[in-house]
Amino acid sequence: MNKLAHRKEVDKEGLNLGEIRKDFPILETVVKGNPLVYLDNAASSQMPIQVINRISDYHLSEHSNIHRAVHYLSEKATAEYENSREIVKNFLNIESSKEVIFTRGTTNGINLVCQSYGSKFLKEGDEILISYLEHHANIVPWQLLSEKIGTKLKVIPMTDDGDIDFEAFKKLITKNTKFLSLTHISNALGTVLPIKEMVEYAHEYDIPVLVDGAQSVPHAEVDVRDIDCDFYVFSGHKMCGPSGIGVLYGKSKFLEKMDPYEGGGDMILSVSFEKTVYNKVPYKFEAGTPPIAQAIGLGSAVEYLQEIGMDKINQHEKNLLRYATDELNKIPGVRIIGTAENKAGVISFVIDGVHPHDIGTLLNDDGIAIRTGHHCAQPIMDKYKIPATARASFYLYNTMSEIDKLINGIYSIKKLFGA
Ligand code: 7TS
């Protein structure tokens, strides 16, 4: 056991962690006799009781289908669903709620833009620019589009420490570059991209930009009008909300011109066998019965985060990251993968002589949940010539003493492997 074992709880940092943790009943889980230490928040975060209760209340007393009936429950459910849209609009400083489209999540949002914008406005030979730091969700849909219409995918390289290579980005832009799709924060390395500067540069060449905000909206204040991106996508389940819901923000000028992604109920104004007239945005992009309870749950999650304060959450995660980085750096044979200057609360690492999956399995024996693998970002693993990393990712409810447990666990693993 190392010196950290007796360290006292010191996490205050503007957040009342004791109270916050009480909001998350799942954190009381005991795994193999140990209290759960949940450090897999980049994959999915936990839901506070306020959000769970909101979803439950909806099912208990407000549920009906939306946008289609005049009875009490349908009007109630519709009002609550649309209220969530309004909450999201205000959260991201979006100009109009028409620009907020409910999706199934980040992946769904990117595919929607690929198909509805890409298929219509891009053509053979056009170049789409992404970065080396993308999640597969921002790679594969563009490859599918390329196979279908002959667009070309170009990749902005990253530096050895896991930063975007801004100079290379500038050089990659040609007269054929017609779309830029970028992650805001890398889920595998935690790198925060200089997204505003990149959007500004792309716009000088009239290139529309999509930003994948799956790892940013949950952890930092995001103002889409300040970033000035054309599309922004994120998922509810990574920000204290339920799974099955996400948001696509798009500027009206694009959404109005794009074709629907799916056809069906609710996305139409009139249908005959000869001709269908589409509904206005955002409904044009919300075919069929949407995930109503999940959308309401997402609204509740946003309110929960807002009440605590995104700036405080962000600062707390920075403190956790700094502490975890310092402690990991002290352990011989442990290497942090991704050492960019501007990082969010994600820390990927490897231990010499120990496979990341063994790290994950052994930490689980101590009740510590991390993710191991390629994190759906295989090109990043290829860049570092490793098959996988162990990754700890933090959120508002994590404490310094949980990081101590992680560090202690790593010392034990090293001892076990004689590493
Ligand atoms: N983009 C980024 C940057 C992500 O981190 C993820 C999920 C996605 C897109 C896809 O989100 P989804 O909600 O549509 O699945 N990232 C992870 C992760 O890091 N571990 O599991 C999922």
Side-chain angles (χ1 to χ4, degrees), residues 42-43 105-108 135 137 183 185 187 212 214-215 235 237-238 371 375 391:
T106 306
T107 305
N108 187 222
H135 184 280
T183 191
I185 295 178
N187 68 312
D212 171 353
Q215 298 295 343
S235 302
H237 69 97
K238 294 182 197 287
R371 186 175 166 193
H375 315 294
R391 181 190 70 182

Side-chain angles (χ1 to χ4, degrees), residues 64-71 74-75 78 265-266 286-290:
S64 180
N65 212 326
I66 57 168
H67 296 148
R68 57 195 78 199
V70 293
H71 61 75
S74 182
E75 286 188 349
T78 302
D266 228 24
E286 294 179 2
T289 301

Side-chain angles (χ1 to χ4, degrees), residues 26 90 95 149 159 215 249 284 321 359 407 413:
I26 204 167
N90 294 332
E95 192 174 345
I149 65 169
T159 61
Q215 298 295 343
Y249 155 75
K284 183 169 85 174
L321 176 72
I359 303 175
I407 299 295
I413 292 169

Side-chain angles (χ1 to χ4, degrees), residues 194-205 209 227-228:
I195 212 74
K196 197 176 164 186
E197 290 76 9
M198 295 182 82
V199 170
E200 199 179 342
Y201 195 81
H203 280 175
E204 284 177 26
Y205 298 85
V209 188
I227 296 171
D228 197 29

